[in-house]
Amino acid sequence: VQLQASGGGLVQVGGSLRLSCAASGFTAEYYVIGWFRQAPGKEREGVSCISSSDGSSGGRIVYADAAKGRFTISRDSANNTAYLQMNSLKPEDTAVYYCAAAHFRLECTIEENDYFYWGQGTQVTVSS
């Protein structure tokens, strides 16, 4: 099981970025995918997650309060990739963003202890 996060970069306040999490060695549709971030000097925190697909829907989604209304998590089964679309970015969104995976569940949490597989981080910097 491998996860490859990408798409980070430098963006101005109010801008957008789309992070990608490419999965290999497993079918992402059957796993829980979570996005986390760690800002300098702070603990890692959950941003969003999408549960395993139950076949009739893409999965249940959870957002942290800081992400609600601005971030959108999605998953492309054909590409075995999950995404985090981030809009209206703020300086406080600056962090290293990680994607993670957990085994099949029809619910998800943004608690990092629930995740077994982690990708390397991708840096997001929002300049004011």
Side-chain angles (χ1 to χ4, degrees), residues 12 34 36 74 90 92-93 99 104 106 109 125 128:
Q12 291 187 333
F36 297 80
S74 63
K90 305 174 182 180
E92 51 263 44
D93 294 319
C99 61
F104 183 92
L106 295 179
T109 77
T125 303
S128 57

Side-chain angles (χ1 to χ4, degrees), residues 1-3 24-34 49-53 75 100-109 111-118:
V1 174
Q2 288 190 328
L3 298 166
S24 60
F26 69 103
T27 302
E29 182 179 7
Y30 300 143
Y31 280 65
V32 176
I33 302 295
C49 64
I50 182 168
S51 73
S52 307
S53 172
R75 180 169 49 210
H103 292 292
F104 183 92
R105 291 189 66 183
L106 295 179
E107 302 285 348
C108 70
T109 77
E111 298 292 333
E112 63 177 279
N113 289 337
D114 287 346
Y115 293 82
F116 299 103
Y117 309 105
W118 291 82

Side-chain angles (χ1 to χ4, degrees), residues 69-84:
R70 299 189 299 126
F71 294 2
T72 303
I73 191 171
S74 63
R75 180 169 49 210
D76 183 341
S77 299
N79 291 325
N80 212 32
T81 299
Y83 302 96
L84 184 68

Side-chain angles (χ1 to χ4, degrees), residues 5 19-21 33-36 46-48 73 82-84 97-99:
L19 305 183
S20 299
C21 177
I33 302 295
W35 283 98
F36 297 80
V47 176
S48 182
I73 191 171
Y83 302 96
L84 184 68
Y97 283 72
Y98 301 87
C99 61

